[in-house]
């Protein structure tokens, strides 16, 4: 039995930022499995090519790599142009680039604050604006911003990160207001606690890991594959009347005390 045609994104061109590893790599693989042509993005051209080669083993010439700095406006403009030259008109953008830096607020440096702002928030504005300019001409498009559980709640030591992810939530809603009339839907996915390379130290911390399992109704850490269904929904015609929303994929953590 095939899936409902409303979820069909076969043949669409998508760009996923921060996709050389972790969640971004998994989301890119999910879009490839759904039939998309995917442009990977990151700053490390060698790491990006290794990921492209790995994914191409199962998806052939439908996976491409375009390395550029998503925090540099000129690089973004040139990089998005290259992505469309390579893969065709982008119908889907996933703003996934992100960074974390854990430190008590009173010890947080100015440089680290600005780095998180640029990486987690400014990048989504720059890439989203550039791709949306092209989508607007065509009258349709899907932009998915990867927000976070911390778009809603915070813990000690991550105040700047939570601020950037809260800002990304509101950027998502603001983009919806401006871009919805142009035929573009902008939504977010808010992962909870996921087992990735970036959280490996937390997963290995048995006290913290036990807290995550107790605190999450699903009783476990998220797996990157848990995010793919949400992305396919938000990237497909099934979500054409869904705009400005954040879909939290957190095993229920936000819903309970």
């Amino acid at each position: 039995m095939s899936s409902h045609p409303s979820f069909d994104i076969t043949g669409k061109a998508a760009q996923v930022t921060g996709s050389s590893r972790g969640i971004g790599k998994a989301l890119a693989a999910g879009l490839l499995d759904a039939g998309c042509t995917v442009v990977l993005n990151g700053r490390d051209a060698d790491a990006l090519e290794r990921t492209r080669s790995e994914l191409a083993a199962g998806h052939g010439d439908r996976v491409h790599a375009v390395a550029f700095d998503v925090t540099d406006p000129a690089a973004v403009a040139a990089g998005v142009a290259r992505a469309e030259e390579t893969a065709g008109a982008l119908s889907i953008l996933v703003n996934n680039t992100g960074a974390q830096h854990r430190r008590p607020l009173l010890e947080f440096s100015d440089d680290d604050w600005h780095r998180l702002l640029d990486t987690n928030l400014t990048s989504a504005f720059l890439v989203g604006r550039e791709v949306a300019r092209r989508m607007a001409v065509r009258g349709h498009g899907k932009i998915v911003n990867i927000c976070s559980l911390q778009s809603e709640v915070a813990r000690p030591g991550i105040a700047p990160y939570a601020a950037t992810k809260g800002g990304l939530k509101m950027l998502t809603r603001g983009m919806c207001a401006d871009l919805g009339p142009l035929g573009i839907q902008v939504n977010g996915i808010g992962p909870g606690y996921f087992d990735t390379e970036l959280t490996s130290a937390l997963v290995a911390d048995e006290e913290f890991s036990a807290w995550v399992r107790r605190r999450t109704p699903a009783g476990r850490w998220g797996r990157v594959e848990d995010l793919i269904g949400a992305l396919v929904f938000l990237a497909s015609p099934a979500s054409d009347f869904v705009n400005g929303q954040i879909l939290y994929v957190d095993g229920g953590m936000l819903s309970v005390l």
Side-chain angles (χ1 to χ4, degrees), residues 21-149:
R21 62 177 180 169
I23 286 175
K25 178 182 176 182
L27 295 178
L31 290 173
L32 286 164
D33 288 340
C36 290
T37 295
V38 175
V39 179
L40 307 174
N41 164 257
R43 287 188 299 180
D44 185 334
D46 292 337
L48 203 62
E49 176 55 29
R50 287 194 294 271
T51 300
R52 188 208 64 77
S53 180
E54 178 185 339
L55 294 178
H59 301 285
D61 60 2
R62 288 194 292 111
V63 55
H64 308 278
V66 177
F68 63 91
D69 182 351
V70 292
T71 70
D72 180 330
V76 167
V80 170
R82 290 203 311 276
E84 291 211 334
E85 290 168 3
T86 300
L90 294 172
S91 297
I92 301 161
L93 168 66
V94 183
N95 279 315
N96 169 73
T97 299
Q100 173 65 288
H101 187 78
R102 295 179 176 86
R103 191 169 297 278
L105 183 66
L106 299 184
E107 301 172 13
F108 218 90
S109 72
D110 294 351
D111 286 345
D112 286 332
W113 165 261
H114 288 292
R115 179 176 62 85
L116 285 188
L117 276 177
D118 285 346
T119 304
N120 297 350
L121 186 55
T122 301
S123 67
F125 165 73
L126 292 174
V127 182
R129 181 183 62 180
E130 187 63 29
V131 173
R133 284 170 171 162
R134 295 163 179 269
M135 290 176 170
V137 174
R138 299 187 284 265
H140 63 86
K142 302 282 187 175
I143 297 176
V144 181
N145 295 326
I146 304 304
C147 298
S148 172
L149 180 75

Side-chain angles (χ1 to χ4, degrees), residues 157-204:
I158 60 166
Y161 177 84
T164 64
K165 290 299 187 177
L168 185 57
K169 175 186 72 175
M170 293 311 300
L171 178 63
T172 300
R173 292 176 176 172
M175 292 171 76
C176 158
D178 280 345
L179 302 178
L182 305 176
I184 302 167
Q185 290 83 56
V186 187
N187 293 288
I189 295 174
Y193 283 93
F194 273 69
D195 184 353
T196 69
E197 296 99 319
L198 294 179
T199 59
S200 59
L202 294 178
V203 175

